[in-house]
Amino acid sequence: MKSLENKTALVTGGSRGIGRAIALAMAEEGANIAVVFAGNREAAEKTAAEIAEKGVQARIYQCDVASAGETEAVVKQILDDFGGVDILVNNAGIVRDTLLLRMKEEDFDAVLNTNLKGAYHMIRQLYSHMMRKKSGSIINISSVVGLMGNAAQANYAAAKAGLIGLTKSTAKELASRGVTCNAIAPGYIRSDMTDALPEKAKEAIVSQIPMKHTGLPQDVANLAVFLAGPAASYITGEVIRVDGGMAM
Ligand code: NAP
């Protein structure tokens, strides 16, 4: 039997990059997938089609995770469509990089609202559902930047560090109810987000990675599948790096 058979996973930002790899890997293990995306419907449809080819259910939902109202509506819809949610992956994220001195309040707020508050909204919307079921797995995609800080990413680092506090607090609140909550801290993973970096910046980052190469979305997806499955049922409140040794 596949490790996630008969489970439903809700993956925010599941249409592209790391979220897409997580959605596909969980589908490969038998999970039905609800893909939440922000605006790129074409990418979401393409990912959903690939998921469905694996013989599981796949549906896409447009929702801004930063919005309390939209997350409430979308979670209701997903619960109706799938009959429940077993796995929540808070992966949706954005960057608005610049030095703190130049960082506008709207750029600080946008990153905090999407990357941190988005996860808070989604967990809150599924909290009672998972508590009542006495099972569930929540996986928050943080970053090594949340552990180390990074110049020109004060907003992003604050959000990703905040996600670690959110993860541990959620884990403590829900542990006795059979719900786990863990964080993954990826290093430099190839995706649209990192492809946008200037060549010089990419080289500088790679030089700081002990393994001397970037990671792939699949590297993160492998861990997400493990954390969502029965083999990780006694792991909660943990933060695991997938970074080629970058932040050790
Ligand atoms: P990406 O390729 O830019 O994909 C971002 C995904 O998030 C897309 O599916 C996007 O949907 C969705 N999204 C963005 N804002 C949203 C919102 N407000 N509401 C709902 N969905 C939203 O990013 P990625 O590189 O795969 O990163 C995924 C996660 O991993 C992020 O949290 C990022 O911070 C984290 N991470 C990435 C790296 C890395 O090296 N790539 C390293 C550490 C951590 P649309 O396509 O519809 O816009």
Side-chain angles (χ1 to χ4, degrees):
M1 185 162 149
K2 293 178 171 177
S3 68
L4 304 180
E5 201 90 58
N6 302 321
K7 303 275 184 204
T8 294
L10 189 173
V11 185
T12 69
S15 53
R16 291 192 290 118
I18 293 173
R20 175 179 180 279
I22 292 172
L24 285 165
M26 289 189 173
E28 187 67 41
E29 281 303 316
N32 297 315
I33 312 285
V35 171
V36 169
F37 70 103
N40 188 337
R41 180 167 292 275
E42 204 183 322
E45 280 171 353
K46 193 165 165 273
T47 299
E50 278 180 60
I51 294 169
E53 277 170 25
K54 297 182 186 295
V56 298
Q57 267 193 69
R59 286 174 188 253
I60 61 169
Y61 301 86
Q62 184 165 12
C63 164
D64 178 3
V65 295
S67 157
E70 286 187 33
T71 54
E72 186 181 1
V74 89
V75 168
K76 271 202 186 112
Q77 189 61 52
I78 291 169
L79 289 173
D80 269 4
D81 291 346
F82 288 88
V85 170
D86 306 282
I87 302 157
L88 167 64
V89 184
N90 286 309
N91 162 82
I94 57 168
V95 286
R96 294 275 191 281
D97 297 354
T98 191
L99 294 176
L100 188 56
L101 187 66
R102 270 186 256 154
M103 192 174 282
K104 295 195 185 101
E105 190 176 351
E106 67 204 57
D107 290 332
F108 190 84
D109 288 347
V111 170
L112 266 288
N113 286 343
T114 301
N115 299 13
L116 178 57
K117 213 170 174 189
Y120 150 79
H121 285 315
M122 296 303 296
I123 292 170
R124 199 154 169 262
Q125 299 305 338
L126 282 166
Y127 194 102
S128 312
H129 174 72
M130 288 187 169
M131 216 169 82
R132 262 187 264 113
K133 280 204 319 179
K134 293 191 166 52
S135 72
S137 167
I138 301 168
I139 299 165
N140 296 322
I141 307 300
S142 177
S143 166
V144 291
V145 167
L147 300 169
M148 305 190 298
N150 199 23
Q153 287 200 308
N155 48 2
Y156 186 80
K160 294 300 186 180
L163 267 181
I164 292 172
L166 179 69
T167 299
K168 293 182 179 180
S169 304
T170 306
K172 284 189 174 172
E173 288 188 25
L174 290 173
S176 65
R177 306 299 181 126
V179 180
T180 63
C181 183
N182 293 289
I184 299 178
Y188 183 172
I189 306 295
R190 251 173 280 161
S191 75
D192 294 344
M193 187 182 273
T194 47
D195 283 349
L197 289 169
E199 233 18 76
K200 272 246 155 68
K202 288 184 196 168
E203 283 167 24
I205 298 171
V206 171
S207 73
Q208 290 164 31
I209 303 172
M211 284 188 175
K212 296 295 172 212
H213 64 84
T214 57
L216 296 173
Q218 186 66 43
D219 295 318
V220 181
N222 292 340
L223 176 58
V225 166
F226 169 72
L227 288 174
S233 62
Y234 200 55
I235 299 175
T236 197
E238 191 54 90
V239 184
I240 304 178
R241 293 181 291 109
V242 180
D243 68 347
M246 191 178 179
M248 74 179 149

